[in-house]
Amino acid sequence: MAADLILHGGKVLTLDPAFRVAEAVAIAGDRVAAVGASAELLALAAPNTHRVDLRGRAVVPGLVDAHAHMDREGLKAVCPSLAGARSIDDVLQRIEALVKQARPGEWIVTMPLGDPPYYFDVPANLREARFPTRQELDRVSPRHPVYIRAIWGYWRHTLPLVSIANSAALRLAGVTRATAPPWDGVTIEKDAAGEPTGVFVEQTYMPLVELSLMAAAPRFTHAQRVAGLRDSMRIYGATGTTSVVEGHGLAEEVQQAYAALASRGELSVRAHLALSPSWGSDTASCVGRLEQWRPQIAGRGSGDAFLSVAGLVAEANPTPDNAVRARAMPYTGWAGFAYDAALPRAALRAVLLEAARRDIRVLSMGKDLLDLYEEVNRVVPIRDRRWVIEHISTLTREEIARMRDLGVVVTTHTNRYLFKEGELLRARAGAAEDTIVPLKSLRDAGVHVALATDNVPTSLFHPIWHAVARLGRSSNRAIAPAQTLSREEALRAATLEGAYLTFEEDLKGSLEPGKLADMAVLSEDPLTCDEKRLKDITAELTIVGGRVVHST
């Protein structure tokens, strides 16, 4: 078979069982046709074959982000950024410029204070070390309503969240000195006269004020979600990610954005979606809804190699703050998942059991539902169903053994539990330091582990670096060094293990003849570059299904 595209003269890391390193890879249609020596593969060229001289660069299988929240990245460009502002005057100048461009009375809604992707050290990043007030915003925007959004708190993982509104925005939202907070974790700051300062403080990681008190402010539209998702795929593709798994589950409005792009043939990153169920308050109807969803999400689910939906996300114990957020449904803001997805534990146990009976795979966050998985397994074996536990932080050897016995697949959140909170976890763990993100212990036990970004930041080379270096944000000493992965192991966890997560290990995750032609040409060799540069690797060429989707 003549090749359509041949990459030659490089270092092709196949990640096949032998971890073979080749010089070239040939693509025919959407599949890998051959991997081998450059001279051998160039012989497959036809007159119309496109050839790419790698000039020694490394090629890896397309990366698979096992918990991506990919849709969020493009949404960050919907609202103007305040990044780089170092004083309240800087903020006011940005707002004033936006007012001059706005139509009369148009809302000015910006991204949060601070610098992406983490928004660390706010408001200490401002010279005044405080937030601007409504009166200060009024000076540059007396007639236009202004709202400075709070961050999605899981970008930074520190509290509180803060948003700010000017007087015109407070008027339109109906917020007065008599307004009560919608939840105990929200504070409406007041001045000495008892009037709102415009500053809202939230002791929660998921913004609640913009869904309740400030619900009058503009929200993400369907068109913005579609455009944002298209931009998100471009950003993820530029780091070599060719597939994502939305393990937290997606609400209907985000699924609709995916469907819109799929109908136009505009998906450039393969997406495997789980359902984030909106249960509401009627727990008695849960089993009936499972049956209704079963044709779409049971077994391997529905869809194709570019967009598929399978499985159900399980959450326990509804909370009062999520009850407030759920009033905004079907709108989900930054979340993208349902705010009423949690059930009381007894009701959840019944749902999990019925899901198992219907061959509906279950995904959950953290290890809190491990005992429920075991209870289900005693009635309906799930050993071969690849149920998922995501965002692991600390695990004992006993917990790892229980996961192994259940055939559970694990995904990580190293950006939080190693980079941001690793030092805190080490202080808490004491002599049990090896329980912190125990990647080596999981692998040694035979548990499949896939790396994930959680969208902060978007590149999987950060988790690859975390797995290899195991350094925290401010640490010079590896955290639980016995749990370090080799570079080869980390690359497998970012490729083949992600494919295993979605039952696609025979389809992608390594560069072998017959598999999908998903791959990336990298800016540096991940096997030989300086360790601290691992996280900064980008893709110079990204190919999905034999088609170039990114090129520098």
Side-chain angles (χ1 to χ4, degrees), residues 526-546:
L527 295 183
T528 61
C529 73
D530 188 283
E531 184 176 273
K532 65 178 177 293
R533 294 183 60 83
L534 269 172
K535 65 183 184 303
D536 301 317
I537 291 176
T538 58
E540 297 185 347
L541 186 73
T542 304
I543 297 169
V544 179

Side-chain angles (χ1 to χ4, degrees), residues 29 35 71 208 224 296 305 363 407 459 515:
V35 180
D71 63 290
L208 183 148
Q224 287 171 333
Q296 181 188 26
L363 307 87
S459 172
K515 284 195 168 186

Side-chain angles (χ1 to χ4, degrees), residues 184-366:
D184 289 345
V186 170
T187 300
I188 304 172
E189 285 199 349
K190 304 285 183 66
D191 60 21
E195 295 293 334
T197 66
V199 176
F200 302 97
V201 181
E202 307 180 56
Q203 299 297 332
T204 176
Y205 287 114
M206 295 189 291
L208 183 148
V209 167
E210 67 179 52
L211 301 175
S212 54
L213 294 175
M214 293 303 299
R219 299 176 170 188
F220 298 130
T221 66
H222 173 69
Q224 287 171 333
R225 286 195 180 276
V226 172
L229 181 56
R230 187 187 298 111
D231 289 343
S232 292
M233 290 187 293
R234 175 182 53 79
I235 293 166
Y236 276 69
T239 64
T241 295
T242 59
S243 295
V244 298
V245 182
E246 293 301 352
H248 202 132
L250 292 182
E252 180 64 24
E253 63 172 346
V254 186
Q255 291 196 41
Q256 288 175 355
Y258 271 101
L261 289 179
S263 69
R264 304 172 193 172
E266 294 182 12
L267 293 175
S268 60
V269 174
R270 303 182 193 277
H272 182 91
L273 318 179
L275 174 66
S276 176
S278 176
W279 298 116
S281 57
D282 180 15
T283 58
S285 67
C286 291
V287 173
R289 273 178 281 176
L290 275 182
E291 185 61 27
Q292 178 185 353
W293 294 328
R294 185 177 62 81
Q296 181 188 26
I297 65 173
R300 305 293 171 85
S302 57
D304 56 30
F306 257 99
L307 178 62
S308 59
V309 182
L312 179 85
V313 175
E315 299 182 43
N317 302 323
T319 59
D321 54 321
N322 265 336
V324 175
R325 295 184 186 95
R327 295 172 195 160
M329 296 280 291
Y331 181 72
T332 63
W334 284 117
F337 50 76
Y339 292 117
D340 54 354
L343 291 170
R345 205 167 180 87
L348 181 59
R349 181 190 181 281
V351 164
L352 297 190
L353 184 57
E354 293 303 322
R357 286 174 172 149
R358 289 163 174 78
D359 193 23
I360 296 173
R361 186 164 71 147
V362 173
L363 307 87
S364 63
M365 309 301 127

Side-chain angles (χ1 to χ4, degrees), residues 112-113 115 117-124 131 150-162 201-207 413 415-416 419-422 424 428 456 473:
L113 290 168
D115 298 332
Y118 303 116
Y119 296 87
F120 285 139
D121 306 322
V122 178
F131 295 97
I151 69 165
W152 178 252
Y154 294 106
W155 294 338
R156 189 175 65 219
H157 287 105
T158 59
L159 297 175
L161 309 188
V162 173
V201 181
E202 307 180 56
Q203 299 297 332
T204 176
Y205 287 114
M206 295 189 291
H413 191 357
N415 189 69
R416 178 175 187 176
F419 180 66
K420 294 179 191 169
E421 297 182 357
L424 176 63
R428 291 175 180 170
V456 277
R473 180 187 175 199

Side-chain angles (χ1 to χ4, degrees), residues 64-67 245 272 361 363 386 388 390 409-411 450 496-505:
V64 181
D65 191 335
H67 192 113
V245 182
H272 182 91
R361 186 164 71 147
L363 307 87
R386 300 187 191 180
V388 184
E390 313 209 47
V409 184
V410 167
T411 74
L496 198 56
E497 292 296 317
Y500 182 89
L501 176 64
T502 55
F503 297 89
E504 295 176 295
E505 66 271 23

